Amino acid sequence: MHRTLLFVSAALCLNFSLSAQTVTDTSATRPPGMEEMATAEKPSKRNGPYYKNIIKTNLSTIALGNYGLTYERMLTRKISASIGYRFMPSTNITKSPLGEKVMDIVAEEGDDIAQQLDKLKMSGNAVTLEFRVYTGRRPGAKGFYAGLYGRYSTFKYDYPYDFEAPSGNTVVPLKGDSKGIGGGVILGGQFMIAKRVVVDLFIIGGHYGRMTGKAEGLTDLSDLDEADRAELKADIEGLVDLGGDNGIKADVRDDGVRADIKLPFLGVRGLGLTVGFAF
């Protein structure tokens, strides 16, 4: 009996030892490459998934009466392309929230420039194409960025110009349109403040190009003498004073004024705030 118990105990110990060795061997004899595959299946922050599409709108331009949308698409993990459209309905620039603040700084109440600009109304459209390169290790449209962009814009003007002639005041109802095309650079930062909410901050940027157009003010000017016509011509050509060649060439006739516009297409983008949705 004593020998039987010893035999059973020895058999149980041997069986436990073999079972433990079998488990160990199964782990040790895992086929080559399985360990690497298991590690590769775990996504890293550097190569993990990210949203490739963003729809956003610029809150800063709303202060100038501009409304628009931009669609941004990731081309690679840190490079994107976007297209934006902006629309400005007929607006009195000096009466917009930002325009009023600017006029408070650059002009005093009662100034001739303030009185003239109060009459100016503008409308327009703009299409902007942009390529960006983002910094940072994490993929997606987030981090600080540098971008190149091109912009095509159209404008319409409605400006009743009050000409003070010796014989009396004459209102010249100037109406015109122009087109501008240019390119530039932009620096900024774009960040995710929630799972899908994007904040894009323009730090500084600007573009340069060429603007061309025409304007006319059809009214009866037959009672103006040559001196008055010369003064009216100088006034209209001096509406945009760039020094030297002002870029506006006016022709005063009996039936009104006609003008050709050739100006630099300048724009500044800075401290702008855009919010959007990623998907």
Side-chain angles (χ1 to χ4, degrees):
M1 182 67 177
H2 181 66
R3 291 179 179 179
T4 302
L5 290 174
L6 288 174
F7 178 78
V8 172
S9 299
L12 289 173
C13 289
L14 179 61
N15 183 60
F16 178 77
S17 177
L18 289 174
S19 298
Q21 183 65 38
T22 301
V23 173
T24 304
D25 289 345
T26 300
S27 176
T29 58
R30 179 178 293 173
M34 289 294 291
E35 193 71 32
E36 291 78 0
M37 290 176 62
T39 303
E41 289 174 356
K42 297 179 181 180
S44 65
K45 291 181 179 180
R46 182 179 179 84
N47 298 309
Y50 56 91
Y51 298 115
K52 294 186 177 181
N53 305 282
I54 300 174
I55 294 290
K56 48 191 174 180
T57 186
N58 193 326
L59 300 182
S60 304
T61 58
I62 294 177
L64 283 171
N66 286 249
Y67 310 93
L69 287 175
T70 297
Y71 169 64
E72 183 176 8
R73 168 75 178 181
M74 297 302 298
L75 302 179
T76 67
R77 59 184 298 276
K78 298 302 289 184
I79 298 177
S80 74
S82 68
I83 180 169
Y85 173 75
R86 189 185 69 206
F87 167 70
M88 180 176 69
S90 183
T91 304
N92 188 317
I93 300 299
T94 61
K95 299 302 182 184
S96 65
L98 184 57
E100 290 182 348
K101 293 184 179 297
V102 171
M103 292 306 297
D104 287 343
I105 297 173
V106 303
E108 297 180 0
E109 186 176 354
D111 281 357
D112 182 64
I113 184 174
Q115 294 176 356
Q116 293 289 353
L117 289 178
D118 281 345
K119 303 172 185 177
L120 174 62
K121 289 186 177 181
M122 292 180 60
S123 62
N125 302 272
V127 176
T128 303
L129 299 176
E130 184 173 328
F131 290 92
R132 289 183 178 181
V133 177
Y134 288 89
T135 63
R137 298 182 60 188
R138 295 189 177 186
K142 49 191 172 184
F144 291 100
Y145 61 80
L148 296 174
Y149 71 94
R151 175 168 291 177
Y152 174 76
S153 300
T154 62
F155 303 95
K156 291 185 179 295
Y157 315 95
D158 187 347
Y159 182 32
Y161 181 71
D162 190 5
F163 175 61
E164 298 181 0
S167 57
N169 289 5
T170 299
V171 176
V172 181
L174 291 173
K175 295 181 183 293
D177 59 78
S178 61
K179 302 175 183 178
I181 185 169
V185 297
I186 182 73
L187 300 175
Q190 185 160 278
F191 311 97
M192 302 286 289
I193 63 172
K195 186 175 181 180
R196 292 177 180 267
V197 179
V198 175
V199 173
D200 184 3
L201 178 63
F202 303 148
I203 298 176
I204 189 65
H207 60 265
Y208 178 83
R210 193 68 175 170
M211 179 183 292
T212 59
K214 293 183 178 295
E216 63 179 13
L218 301 181
T219 187
D220 183 10
L221 300 178
S222 58
D223 59 339
L224 297 182
D225 59 24
E226 289 301 320
D228 290 339
R229 295 191 184 200
E231 184 177 350
L232 176 57
K233 173 182 169 68
D235 286 352
I236 293 177
E237 291 182 345
L239 288 175
V240 180
D241 187 2
L242 301 177
D245 186 2
N246 291 334
I248 299 179
K249 300 298 183 183
D251 182 20
V252 180
R253 306 177 183 176
D254 287 345
D255 61 350
V257 176
R258 290 168 177 80
D260 291 324
I261 302 170
K262 292 182 180 180
L263 297 168
F265 181 43
L266 300 171
V268 176
R269 299 171 71 185
L271 300 180
L273 178 63
T274 299
V275 297
F277 178 79
F279 60 97

